[in-house]
């Protein structure tokens, strides 16, 4: 039947029309049929979706003390113009079988959300020796969405814990593990869950859960990693696993992700592509951040799309603030590659001048990105990106005082610490900050410490603000610490003891020692170099272990004298009381100076002296977190 309107440009005026005659159809004019504008239909669907949401919320009993959580995603703006029938799945465990999990999004940038329960309440759950009652689980979930979720908006706050457990036990326990950082009713819960949840993370790739939930769980653990304690640090290999799980399931090519499925599924809708694009953006950010924190050069993963058009489509889909973060990481990755290409081992005057030009160029790229920044969260990433780029100035020895980089370093470091201070003043606490904020505070405070402890501080620099900011950073690190073995607690120990030290960054004769002894860990080098100064003075156990290692025994048994190990054009492993030789001469060290020997950093790294974590020393038992 030809159902065409009576009026319109293509209305049937002859019965039967040529189309119906050709197809042998009955041709009639339907007066009731009218053309419908798509925008008007979308508006009606939006109203209908809102009515269903209100009906669902009114039929459930909300837990008290609901908290505002902003989910600034591009998917939120698209959700209001599409039919999202995820409400029916909120209480249905079978929702976990969806190829593209449907999480409900708020209609505005900030809305009141709460964890919803049912008449039976949340079920008791157990993970080996840890057992949590339903009300404890509800409190932990509410705590997560109140304090943590805004830093990583990838989960639906209205989904019940039991549904998360049905979708993925690993994701369920990952949320609980992070939330336990600030769970005052059971302060032992974090240490009890750390080992078990970490093992679940590595075993998750063998599970039958949807890869979407595995990726979400890994993102959460990498954003708020457990304290290392006496266990090896696994965040770096875990970040690689996150990246490969995402790529294996086609998240890096959202418009073709259905081609990576083991079963035939329909091509993703626009909303599905946005969700996958944003999740892939989070994967890239977390992976590259893990590389930088471990002193590795991050791969430029934004260009992994098969052509330039796909890359632009991805940028057009995701939220603008994610685009800005990706561009900051892209600039920082290119900067790392350029610095390594310029050379960092033993820099000549020409190399130092070239390095200065390179860093100014990349700072200009950050300035260009800053012109488009409109969200407060973007400002921190811009500050961290600028701080990381400027930290490469510490590789210079001949021009660091004359190139004018130190005043800019002080301003950037102070601005970064001020941002964290403003966050603390606004929220009243810092236990919930993700790893990138902790690392930013560490990078800024170590930079200020190195400048303030050097003779450069008395050469016309205005250090009054730097000094006050440094002490503020120590107090902020105390607020961040949730465990005596976490990085924030160790930051306090190292900064405090190095500040009061008369030997740190000094030669044996008391003169200034400006050169970095660790030069292969990019922006992490100056942090690790400071930790080495701390170890040399305050951790004799570490030095005793180095002196007693099998490598040194083998050399001693062969009757060979200890010498500096030549790498490139520099001599590392030399006496810290001497400047590194710029001519590459191998300097003999007497047996009496063995106690002051600094081994080749690559050798130590191979034996995991540094590879486990930035700080791998036991916390001083006398340190009080209060």
């Amino acid at each position: 039947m030809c159902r065409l309107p009576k009026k319109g440009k293509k209305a049937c005026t002859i019965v039967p029309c040529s189309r119906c005659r050709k197809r042998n159809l009955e041709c009639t004019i339907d007066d009731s049929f009218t053309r419908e504008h798509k925008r008007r239909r979308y508006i009606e669907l939006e109203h209908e979706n809102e009515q269903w949401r209100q009906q669902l919320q009114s039929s459930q009993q909300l837990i008290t003390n609901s908290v505002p959580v902003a989910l600034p995603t591009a998917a939120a703006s698209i959700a209001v113009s599409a039919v999202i029938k995820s409400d029916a799945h909120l209480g249905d465990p079978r929702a976990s079988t969806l190829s593209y999990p449907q999480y409900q999004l708020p209609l505005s940038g900030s809305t009141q959300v709460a964890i919803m329960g049912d008449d039976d309440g949340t079920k008791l759950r157990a993970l080996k020796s840890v057992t949590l009652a339903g009300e404890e689980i509800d409190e932990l979930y509410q705590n997560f969405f109140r304090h943590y979720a805004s830093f990583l908006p990838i989960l639906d706050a209205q989904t019940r814990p039991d549904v998360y457990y049905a979708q993925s036990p690993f994701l369920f326990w990952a949320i609980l593990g992070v939330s336990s950082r600030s769970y005052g009713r059971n302060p032992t819960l974090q240490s009890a869950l750390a080992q078990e949840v970490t093992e679940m993370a590595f075993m998750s790739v063998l599970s039958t859960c949807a890869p979407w939930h595995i990726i979400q769980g890994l993102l959460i653990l990498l954003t708020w990693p457990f304290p290392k304690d006496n266990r090896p640090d696994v965040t770096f290999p875990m970040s690689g696993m996150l990246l490969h799980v995402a790529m294996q399931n086609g998240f890096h090519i959202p418009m073709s992700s259905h081609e990576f499925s083991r079963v035939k599924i329909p091509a993703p809708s626009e909303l599905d592509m946005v969700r996958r694009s944003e999740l892939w953006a989070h994967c890239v950010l977390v992976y590259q951040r893990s590389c930088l924190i471990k002193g590795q050069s991050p791969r430029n993963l934004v260009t992994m799309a098969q052509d330039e058009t796909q890359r632009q489509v991805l940028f057009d889909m995701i939220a603008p603030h994610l685009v800005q973060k990706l561009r900051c990481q892209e600039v920082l990755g290119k900067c790392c590659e350029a610095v390594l290409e310029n050379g960092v081992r033993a820099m000549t005057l020409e190399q130092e001048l070239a390095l200065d030009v390179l860093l100014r160029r990349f700072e200009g790229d950050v300035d260009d990105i800053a012109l488009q920044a409109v969200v407060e969260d973007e400002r921190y990433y811009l500050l961290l990106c600028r701080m990381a780029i400027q930290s490469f100035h510490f590789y210079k020895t001949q021009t660091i005082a004359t190139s004018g980089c130190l005043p800019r370093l002080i301003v950037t470091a102070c601005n970064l610490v001020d941002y964290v201070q403003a966050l603390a003043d606004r929220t009243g606490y810092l236990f919930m900050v993700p790893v990138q904020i902790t690392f930013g505070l560490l990078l800024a405070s170590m930079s200020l410490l190195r400048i303030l402890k050097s003779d450069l501080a008395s050469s016309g620099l205005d250090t009054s603000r730097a000094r006050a900011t440094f002490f503020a950073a120590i107090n902020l690190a105390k607020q961040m610490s949730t465990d005596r073995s976490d990085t924030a607690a160790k930051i306090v120990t190292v900064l405090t003891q190095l500040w009061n030290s008369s030997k740190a960054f000094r030669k044996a004769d008391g003169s200034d020692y400006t050169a970095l002894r660790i030069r292969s860990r990019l922006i992490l080098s100056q942090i690790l170099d400071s930790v080495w100064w701390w170890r040399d003075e305050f951790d004799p156990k570490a030095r005793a272990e180095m002196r007693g290692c099998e490598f040194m025994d083998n050399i001693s048994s062969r009757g060979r004298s200890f010498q500096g190990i030549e790498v490139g054009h520099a001599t590392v492993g030399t006496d810290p009381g001497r400047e590194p030789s710029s001519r590459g001469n191998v300097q003999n060290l007497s047996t009496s100076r063995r106690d002051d020997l600094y081994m080749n950093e690559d050798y130590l790294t191979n034996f995991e002296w540094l590879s486990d974590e930035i700080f791998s020393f036991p916390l001083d038992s006398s340190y009080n977190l209060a």
Side-chain angles (χ1 to χ4, degrees):
M1 177 181 296
C2 181
R3 295 172 57 85
L4 291 176
K6 190 172 184 180
K7 297 180 180 180
K9 295 182 179 180
K10 296 182 180 180
C12 287
T13 56
I14 302 176
V15 179
C17 64
S18 58
R19 176 178 176 276
C20 293
R21 285 198 303 268
K22 183 178 180 180
R23 296 174 177 263
N24 195 22
L25 299 173
E26 180 183 358
C27 186
T28 60
I29 297 177
D30 190 350
D31 294 335
S32 63
F33 180 81
T34 57
R35 295 189 184 278
E36 184 177 34
H37 197 277
K38 291 184 179 180
R39 183 178 297 275
R40 186 181 301 110
R41 178 56 179 163
Y42 286 158
I43 293 174
E44 292 177 358
L45 291 174
E46 176 184 341
H47 288 299
E48 182 181 352
N49 188 42
E50 178 62 19
Q51 291 175 0
W52 280 105
R53 181 179 289 109
Q54 292 177 356
Q55 291 179 14
L56 180 65
Q57 291 178 349
S58 62
S59 64
Q60 302 288 346
Q61 181 180 3
L62 295 179
I63 294 180
T64 57
N65 299 327
S66 60
V67 294
V69 175
L71 300 181
T73 60
S77 60
I78 295 181
V80 299
S81 62
V83 182
I84 308 178
K85 295 185 178 180
S86 61
D87 300 306
H89 295 283
L90 287 176
D92 187 0
R94 290 174 297 176
S96 61
T97 61
L98 293 175
S99 299
Y100 307 101
Q102 303 287 320
Y103 57 88
Q104 194 164 355
L105 298 165
L107 294 177
S108 61
S110 179
T111 186
Q112 292 292 111
V113 296
I115 309 299
M116 296 189 300
D118 56 15
D119 296 337
D120 298 331
T122 303
K123 296 180 181 179
L124 177 146
R125 301 291 179 187
L127 180 62
K128 292 190 177 180
S129 60
V130 179
T131 302
L132 295 176
E135 53 271 17
E136 292 180 298
I137 294 174
D138 287 334
E139 289 179 5
L140 287 165
Y141 266 73
Q142 190 175 6
N143 184 51
F144 178 84
F145 287 103
R146 178 188 293 117
H147 299 303
Y148 299 90
S150 60
F151 293 100
L152 188 67
I154 60 174
L155 297 176
D156 173 24
Q158 292 181 323
T159 300
R160 295 185 298 106
D162 286 337
V163 177
Y164 276 123
Y165 187 86
Q167 292 174 343
S168 171
F170 162 58
L171 176 59
F172 172 88
W173 287 107
I175 297 172
L176 293 183
V178 169
S179 184
S180 65
R181 292 160 54 97
S182 56
Y183 189 51
R185 289 185 57 184
N186 186 355
T188 67
L189 185 58
Q190 182 184 20
S191 58
L193 289 176
Q195 181 69 22
E196 308 300 341
V197 176
T198 302
E199 291 178 359
M200 290 185 70
F202 283 98
M203 295 300 295
S204 62
V205 294
L206 301 177
S207 70
T208 57
C209 299
W212 183 284
H213 306 306
I214 296 174
I215 294 172
Q216 289 175 324
L218 293 174
L219 285 172
I220 291 173
L221 292 188
L222 289 168
T223 303
W224 294 278
F226 289 110
K228 188 177 76 70
D229 201 12
N230 294 323
R231 299 178 297 272
D233 182 41
V234 295
T235 54
F236 194 43
M238 189 182 295
S239 65
M241 188 175 72
L242 163 72
L243 186 72
H244 292 150
V245 169
M247 293 175 60
Q248 180 173 297
N249 291 276
F251 282 85
H252 62 300
I253 312 178
M255 60 287 298
S256 303
S257 56
H258 61 289
E259 299 176 4
F260 290 80
S261 176
R262 291 178 297 176
V263 296
K264 186 176 182 180
I265 59 176
S269 64
E270 181 182 6
L271 182 59
D272 292 328
M273 284 193 291
V274 172
R275 289 172 175 172
R276 285 178 171 265
S277 298
E278 291 187 339
L279 201 63
W280 170 248
H282 285 294
C283 291
V284 172
L285 290 172
V286 168
Y287 174 75
Q288 291 184 330
R289 183 177 67 217
S290 297
C291 291
L292 291 170
I293 291 177
K294 289 301 177 183
Q296 306 290 340
S297 181
R299 293 177 57 195
N300 187 7
L301 301 172
V302 180
T303 58
M304 289 187 64
Q306 294 179 351
D307 54 52
E308 187 67 22
T309 303
Q310 286 185 342
R311 180 187 179 191
Q312 190 58 45
V313 168
L314 185 145
F315 275 178
D316 292 341
M317 283 183 173
I318 63 180
H321 74 97
L322 281 177
V323 175
Q324 303 299 335
K325 293 176 184 178
L326 287 172
R327 286 176 174 165
C328 284
Q329 291 281 44
E330 186 177 6
V331 169
L332 194 50
K334 291 180 179 178
C335 179
C336 291
E337 294 176 0
V339 168
L340 290 176
E341 185 177 352
N342 183 66
V344 294
R345 277 293 176 181
M347 301 179 66
T348 62
L349 177 61
E350 291 75 14
Q351 285 178 304
E352 290 193 8
L353 295 174
L355 177 65
D356 196 60
V357 173
L358 283 174
L359 299 184
R360 284 185 175 273
R361 170 203 159 189
F362 288 110
E363 281 193 66
D365 293 340
V366 177
D367 292 335
D368 294 339
I369 299 175
L371 296 176
Q372 306 172 12
V374 294
V375 182
E376 180 68 12
D377 185 40
E378 296 174 36
R379 192 167 72 87
Y380 174 78
Y381 274 83
L382 289 166
L383 287 171
L384 181 58
C385 182
R386 192 184 302 276
M387 183 76 250
I389 292 173
Q390 292 178 351
S391 67
F392 284 113
H393 284 293
F394 287 113
Y395 282 90
K396 300 186 297 186
T397 55
Q398 305 175 64
T399 62
I400 188 171
T402 58
S403 61
C405 62
L406 294 181
R408 299 200 312 274
L409 259 167
I410 292 176
V411 170
T412 303
C414 291
N415 289 340
L416 196 151
V417 176
D418 288 345
Y419 178 93
V420 181
Q421 182 66 66
L423 177 62
D425 296 339
R426 187 168 64 251
T427 60
Y429 37 74
L430 287 176
F431 57 79
M432 75 299 181
V433 294
V435 66
Q436 62 265 27
I437 294 183
T438 304
F439 180 75
L441 183 72
L442 172 64
L443 183 62
S445 57
M446 285 293 189
S447 300
L448 293 175
L449 173 67
R450 184 173 287 273
I451 294 174
L452 292 172
K453 294 288 288 184
S454 69
D455 293 340
L456 301 173
S458 59
S459 59
L461 292 176
D462 182 12
T463 58
S464 56
R465 183 190 177 193
R467 182 186 177 97
T469 302
F470 174 76
F471 293 143
I474 295 178
N475 291 326
L476 291 171
K478 290 182 180 180
Q479 297 181 48
M480 290 179 179
S481 179
T482 61
D483 187 270
R484 294 176 60 84
S485 63
D486 63 12
T487 300
K490 294 172 182 177
I491 290 175
V492 177
T493 300
V494 172
L495 292 181
T496 301
Q497 294 183 343
L498 283 180
W499 175 259
N500 294 317
S501 170
S502 60
K503 299 180 180 179
F505 312 111
R506 295 286 168 179
K507 300 178 184 177
D509 60 0
S511 59
D512 198 12
Y513 189 94
T514 58
L516 288 179
R517 295 169 295 175
I518 298 181
R519 308 181 68 88
S520 64
R521 303 295 291 275
L522 298 175
I523 64 175
L524 193 68
S525 288
Q526 61 119 339
I527 296 176
L528 289 177
D529 186 81
S530 300
V531 175
W532 277 34
W533 282 104
W534 180 91
R535 280 181 171 273
D536 182 53
E537 183 175 357
F538 298 102
D539 190 15
K541 179 181 177 181
R543 294 179 58 205
E545 291 175 352
M546 286 190 293
R547 290 196 302 267
C549 67
E550 182 179 358
F551 176 79
M552 297 181 66
D553 290 340
N554 289 339
I555 295 180
S556 300
S557 63
R558 295 172 185 172
R560 297 173 57 184
S561 61
F562 292 96
Q563 297 177 337
I565 302 175
E566 184 178 0
V567 182
H569 299 289
T571 302
V572 293
T574 59
D575 188 342
R578 302 174 182 168
E579 292 288 349
S581 171
S582 60
R583 302 177 61 87
N585 296 329
V586 179
Q587 302 175 4
N588 294 326
L589 299 178
S590 64
T591 305
S592 62
R593 297 290 294 173
R594 289 184 185 179
D595 289 348
D596 296 324
L597 181 66
Y598 283 82
M599 298 296 296
N600 183 335
E601 58 172 300
D602 293 328
Y603 160 75
L604 294 171
T605 300
N606 290 336
F607 279 80
E608 296 188 353
W609 190 74
L610 287 174
S611 60
D612 281 351
E613 198 181 53
I614 295 175
F615 306 118
S616 56
F617 57 88
L619 189 64
D620 185 0
S621 58
S622 63
Y623 173 65
N624 186 7
L625 291 177

